[in-house]
Amino acid sequence: MWKSFVCPRSELKLSTTLACGQSFRWREKNPGEWIGVLAGRVWLLSQDDDQIYFKTFGNSIRQDKPLSNVGRKRQTKANLNTALSDKGVSSIPEDNVCTAAEKETLRDYFQLSVSLVELYNSWSKSDLNFHQTARNFDGIRMLRQDPVENLFSFICSSNNHISRISQMVERLCQTYGDKIIDVDGYSFHAFPSVKPLASDDVEQELRALGFGYRAKYINQTAKHIMQYHDENWLYSLRSLPYKETKTELMKLCGVGAKVADCVCLMSLDKAEAVPVDTHVWQIAARDYMPKLKQAKSLTDKLYGEIGDHFRGLWGDYAGWAHSVLFTADLKQFKEEKSSEKLTEKKCQGKRKVESDSFLTRKGKKKVK
């Protein structure tokens, strides 16, 4: 049985938020239906213009890690600390349509206490380019992921594309994660904890599974965390300032500035983090910082300048704004929007032909 809660597409659009390269465990099971693993359960999500619908499969929601707001900063611009729940948006009806745990899990994962519409309005006022792009890409918000899953998934992202990263992450889960349940003949597993990834034989096993040099990065990072910290260390980084958190992450094997910023932004509550890759560099050079066109490579200095420029332009939630432009620049979404425009153009042409035909027929009747 489907459960639901109020949430307009302008606040959350599943088709872009779940497919733009933040998380790699969601796939479109049927048109408009997304299936994935969250908090130790399998979730099926769908939506219409006003509601998010969901089903869950498996055991009770895992509560072994806190869903607290530790480390989150207050929104300071345009009264952005107004929660959606205050407006009736994303609120759960009081007739127990879903359990309190399910409600809290989805609210936390999609960060529904943040008003995306108000953020979009604020960014659009300060940035004409964002305003023009955002008209076709509404509802893109940052997920608040499990830091362990987020970190090791993005270690897999090095010199890789979304489809292949998703395959690697799934192999990691199938090999080292606990089984949750079979759905339609497919076995779903939780993302593994750090400890099993720190075993001595992991690097060799992952190389055999096609991870290449990333196998060493995964194994060495897990060993470092278990030797110098513990399973909960990544979660504790949520309470540290952004720059300190990024510095700690970059001590890990295979974690450079971009991966560190992804983890800061997508799971450690650092909304000002701006991951800079080739896409973002090109966007910055084309639309914001013309001097970058002269650069032959993305140096550490330029990386920092790009991030600082966007933080100065967009404010405390610069990482969220960056994700909208990043998504709009992805080939799959460019083609999707082009297809939508072509379809609309054809429909407009068809309506015009039908209208002209009607007027002709109407005119003939007048002559008679």
Side-chain angles (χ1 to χ4, degrees):
M1 179 178 176
W2 288 95
K3 304 173 185 178
S4 68
F5 60 92
V6 176
C7 184
R9 289 183 192 271
S10 57
E11 287 292 346
L12 169 60
K13 192 171 183 179
L14 294 176
S15 60
T16 43
T17 299
L18 296 180
C20 66
Q22 295 186 59
S23 173
F24 305 99
R25 300 216 64 195
W26 294 96
R27 62 183 176 85
E28 199 169 17
K29 183 175 182 291
N30 296 308
E33 291 185 1
W34 294 83
I35 192 167
V37 176
L38 172 63
R41 301 195 80 183
V42 177
W43 298 70
L44 188 63
L45 304 177
S46 184
Q47 72 178 142
D48 58 23
D49 289 341
D50 303 305
Q51 303 255 352
I52 296 292
Y53 300 90
F54 67 94
K55 295 180 181 179
T56 58
F57 309 88
N59 298 322
S60 59
I61 293 174
R62 189 180 64 208
Q63 297 287 359
D64 54 335
K65 300 300 179 186
L67 295 176
S68 69
N69 293 327
V70 173
R72 297 193 188 195
K73 59 163 94 78
R74 293 188 301 273
Q75 301 181 67
T76 58
K77 293 186 177 181
N79 196 29
L80 297 179
N81 61 339
T82 302
L84 291 178
S85 56
D86 293 339
K87 303 177 182 181
V89 177
S90 79
S91 62
I92 307 294
E94 293 300 320
D95 57 355
N96 293 322
V97 169
C98 62
T99 68
E102 288 172 333
K103 171 184 175 179
E104 180 60 23
T105 296
L106 290 176
R107 283 183 60 82
D108 185 83
Y109 186 65
F110 289 114
Q111 306 200 67
L112 294 178
S113 62
V114 178
S115 173
L116 191 62
V117 169
E118 291 189 17
L119 283 173
Y120 268 56
N121 288 338
S122 175
W123 298 325
S124 294
K125 289 177 182 178
S126 62
D127 180 4
L128 179 59
N129 180 63
F130 179 90
H131 173 68
Q132 293 173 336
T133 301
R135 288 181 297 182
N136 294 319
F137 290 90
D138 61 337
I140 301 173
R141 61 191 307 125
M142 297 308 304
L143 304 173
R144 190 181 193 233
Q145 301 179 59
D146 179 277
V148 174
E149 176 177 338
N150 191 210
L151 171 63
F152 287 99
S153 294
F154 273 87
I155 289 177
C156 294
S157 73
S158 176
N159 296 315
N160 222 339
H161 54 80
I162 292 176
S163 177
R164 190 157 178 259
I165 300 167
S166 299
Q167 293 173 5
M168 286 184 172
V169 170
E170 199 56 34
R171 289 187 203 127
L172 206 61
C173 297
Q174 295 281 340
T175 305
Y176 302 104
D178 294 332
K179 182 176 178 178
I180 300 173
I181 195 173
D182 290 326
V183 178
D184 293 339
Y186 186 84
S187 180
F188 285 86
H189 289 69
F191 197 91
S193 59
V194 178
K195 187 175 182 179
L197 298 178
S199 299
D200 291 335
D201 54 354
V202 166
E203 180 180 347
Q204 184 177 350
E205 290 174 349
L206 291 180
R207 285 187 180 275
L209 290 171
F211 281 69
Y213 62 86
R214 303 169 195 85
K216 178 181 179 180
Y217 294 168
I218 291 170
N219 189 218
Q220 290 299 315
T221 289
K223 286 183 175 180
H224 179 96
I225 292 174
M226 295 308 298
Q227 180 177 354
Y228 296 102
H229 307 286
D230 57 34
E231 289 272 3
N232 295 316
W233 174 67
L234 284 169
Y235 300 88
S236 72
L237 295 180
R238 286 176 168 169
S239 63
L240 296 182
Y242 162 54
K243 289 185 178 180
E244 187 176 343
T245 300
K246 184 175 179 178
T247 298
E248 286 298 312
L249 291 172
M250 289 180 67
K251 294 177 183 178
L252 302 173
C253 185
V255 178
K258 183 250 182 176
V259 170
D261 272 330
C262 285
V263 179
C264 283
L265 175 64
M266 300 173 188
S267 63
L268 296 179
D269 302 333
K270 312 299 184 263
E272 72 269 46
V274 178
V276 181
D277 65 357
T278 301
H279 286 288
V280 178
W281 180 18
Q282 292 172 345
I283 292 169
R286 183 187 67 217
D287 301 324
Y288 296 95
M289 304 170 69
K291 73 171 187 175
L292 295 176
K293 295 178 181 178
Q294 310 301 321
K296 295 181 180 180
S297 62
L298 182 62
T299 63
D300 291 343
K301 181 181 178 182
L302 288 179
Y303 186 106
E305 288 181 3
I306 293 171
D308 288 341
H309 178 86
F310 286 138
R311 279 184 281 273
L313 179 62
W314 295 325
D316 292 340
Y317 279 70
W320 286 49
H322 134 279
S323 71
V324 177
L325 299 188
F326 173 84
T327 301
D329 198 61
L330 291 176
K331 182 179 178 181
Q332 69 191 83
F333 294 113
K334 281 183 177 179
E335 292 175 346
E336 180 181 309
K337 289 301 175 184
S338 296
S339 177
E340 288 177 0
K341 289 180 180 179
L342 181 61
T343 300
E344 177 60 22
K345 188 175 181 180
K346 288 180 178 179
C347 289
Q348 289 175 349
K350 183 178 179 181
R351 287 194 291 268
K352 185 178 185 302
V353 170
E354 290 176 344
S355 177
D356 290 345
S357 176
F358 170 75
L359 290 173
T360 301
R361 291 194 302 271
K362 189 176 180 182
K364 286 182 179 179
K365 285 185 176 182
K366 280 187 176 182
V367 171
K368 290 181 179 179

